[in-house]
Amino acid sequence: MRYNQVIQSMLNFIKQFISNPQEVGAIFPTGNILSKVIVETANLKDTKSIVEFGPGTGVFTREILNKINPNSIFFTIESNLDFFQKMKKDFSNTTTYHDSAVSIRKYLDENNIKACDRIISGLPWAAFGEKLQTEILQKAYLSLSPNGIFVTFSYIHSPLLPSGIKFKKLLEKTFKKVEKSNIVWKNLPPAFVYKCTK
């Protein structure tokens, strides 16, 4: 991506954050280093089906496409209209649905997938109420194959906040096993990755 494209992407992200803080949740897009950690944690080798929640400007999407098997089925679900339109333009060969992650089952059915192997999420959990967090995580859990993996991230300050503590407990309540990565200091702000196994 050229320098002016990067700047334009960041400006668009900030604009969306100001317009739709509940959908975007961060003032800067996720960095490339965190994207690599997310996708490495998901371990996409030999996976047949991958779903991405909240691709935003496509930072995770680009890394996923670099790692997946060409025969894998991969689609994204984006609720923000501007980001959806950007995904359709920048990733025209990848299917993106304009909808909530809660609707994952509908799109798995459309793609004849009984259960998916991986779900990678860029959703802004802190911007959601506990009810919506619970609903999305339950839908994700039910959509995964046995031993399927759900991967998401949180910012460094999250474990210190009541909402972050609740979210971690919610992950542990939903999934059989929850692991936390080392802090990715080169992201803005620094973040870590949750790997959740069904």
Side-chain angles (χ1 to χ4, degrees):
M1 192 182 289
R2 294 179 181 177
Y3 179 75
N4 61 343
Q5 289 177 310
V6 171
I7 296 299
Q8 187 59 45
S9 178
M10 289 185 71
L11 290 174
N12 183 51
F13 202 93
I14 293 168
K15 176 187 171 187
Q16 290 306 311
F17 173 78
I18 293 167
S19 303
N20 306 290
Q22 289 188 324
E23 288 186 0
V24 180
I27 197 162
F28 294 110
T30 303
N32 291 329
I33 295 175
L34 179 58
S35 300
K36 290 180 186 298
V37 173
I38 280 270
V39 175
E40 285 171 9
T41 301
N43 186 17
L44 302 182
K45 186 181 178 182
D46 300 325
T47 52
K48 296 178 181 178
S49 51
I50 305 106
V51 177
E52 182 184 4
F53 289 168
T57 57
V59 181
F60 291 172
T61 310
R62 190 170 284 106
E63 192 63 28
I64 291 167
L65 291 171
N66 286 337
K67 297 293 183 182
I68 61 173
N69 185 307
N71 297 319
S72 297
I73 298 173
F74 169 55
F75 63 82
T76 76
I77 304 175
E78 175 57 62
S79 64
N80 179 282
L81 181 59
D82 285 326
F83 286 156
F84 166 73
Q85 290 172 340
K86 181 170 176 57
M87 286 293 297
K88 296 289 281 185
K89 178 184 175 184
D90 294 351
F91 298 90
S92 56
N93 293 327
T94 299
T95 300
T96 297
Y97 298 105
H98 182 220
D99 206 340
S100 165
V102 169
S103 302
I104 181 174
R105 183 70 260 163
K106 172 184 175 182
Y107 301 112
L108 290 176
D109 290 343
E110 283 188 14
N111 287 275
N112 298 311
I113 302 171
K114 190 172 182 180
C116 60
D117 299 318
R118 300 288 186 272
I119 298 174
I120 295 175
S121 173
L123 293 174
W125 298 105
F128 301 156
E130 190 173 346
K131 182 180 178 182
L132 182 56
Q133 289 180 354
T134 301
E135 187 176 11
I136 293 172
L137 291 177
Q138 286 178 345
K139 297 286 186 179
Y141 179 86
L142 293 171
S143 299
L144 285 168
S145 55
N147 298 310
I149 294 172
F150 174 85
V151 180
T152 191
F153 73 97
S154 193
Y155 294 117
I156 188 173
H157 56 274
S158 175
L160 304 175
L161 301 175
S163 59
I165 295 168
K166 282 185 180 180
F167 181 66
K168 184 173 186 286
K169 287 181 179 177
L170 188 55
L171 289 174
E172 292 170 340
K173 181 180 176 182
T174 306
F175 294 93
K176 178 174 67 179
K177 185 178 181 182
V178 176
E179 301 168 84
K180 193 172 90 169
S181 76
N182 292 326
I183 295 169
V184 180
W185 291 103
K186 291 187 178 180
N187 195 67
L188 183 65
F192 58 87
V193 175
Y194 282 121
K195 177 184 177 183
C196 309
T197 305
K198 182 170 179 177

